[in-house]
Structure formats: structure tokens, C-alpha cells
């Protein structure tokens, strides 16, 4: 299915699943653009959508969560 293929691509890019359909990953602009183009090609006739929310490290550090298990050190964060 498309969902399984998208998940595989996100995992290939090192994204971390935080909910069933929500991931975050650490990548610079160029890597994020490559990922976006790859996903766009996969979804060419789909009615689904994928949203990217690029955040700087400072903004991402302001997030709040319960039972956080990941440490954030990278400069660029993309929430998918």
C-alpha cells in the first residue's frame, strides 16, 4: 500500500515515528527537498497529503511531551 511505502521512505531518511501517521526527522534543507520530491513522485495520483513543518532547533526544543525518549541535538528538524 502507499502508506507502507511512504513509511519505508521516511524510515530510510531516518525519520522517527511519533504517532501512527506522524514522524519527525533531522535533515538539512537539501535532504528535506530530496525527500519531498521522492514522496511527491510516489503520491502523484493520490488524494492523500503529506505536510512538512520545518523547525529550527530552538523552536523544536520548546515542544512539550510526556515520556520523551529522544534527545535533540541537530540544527534542523522537520516534523512530518
Amino acid at each position: 500500500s502507499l502508506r507502507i511505502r511512504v513509511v519505508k521512505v521516511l524510515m530510510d531518511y531516518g525519520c522517527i515515528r511519533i504517532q501512527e501517521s506522524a514522524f519527525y526527522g533531522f535533515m538539512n534543507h537539501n535532504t528535506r527537498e530530496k525527500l519531498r520530491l521522492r514522496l511527491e513522485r510516489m503520491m502523484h495520483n493520490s488524494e492523500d497529503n503529506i505536510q512538512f513543518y520545518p523547525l529550527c532547533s530552538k523552536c523544536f526544543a520548546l515542544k512539550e511531551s510526556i515520556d520523551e525518549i529522544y534527545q535533540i541535538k541537530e540544527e534542523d528538524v522537520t516534523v512530518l
Side-chain angles (χ1 to χ4, degrees), residues 18-65:
I18 55 175
Q19 289 185 355
E20 184 65 28
S21 296
F23 296 79
Y24 71 80
F26 311 106
M27 57 193 78
N28 61 33
H29 174 77
N30 291 338
T31 302
R32 185 174 61 246
E33 184 64 13
K34 288 177 187 176
L35 172 60
R36 189 190 66 75
L37 290 172
R38 185 170 172 188
L39 293 172
E40 190 175 279
R41 285 192 302 270
M42 290 174 62
M43 299 181 61
H44 65 281
N45 289 327
S46 174
E47 293 182 15
D48 296 323
N49 74 76
I50 296 175
Q51 299 178 23
F52 289 76
Y53 298 94
L55 303 171
C56 68
S57 300
K58 186 175 179 179
C59 292
F60 190 76
L62 296 174
K63 74 173 179 40
E64 295 182 21
S65 61

Side-chain angles (χ1 to χ4, degrees), residues 3-19:
R3 178 179 287 218
I4 292 170
R5 291 184 317 203
V6 167
V7 168
K8 183 175 180 346
V9 169
L10 293 173
M11 298 289 200
D12 287 347
Y13 274 77
C15 293
I16 299 165
R17 181 177 244 156
I18 55 175
Q19 289 185 355

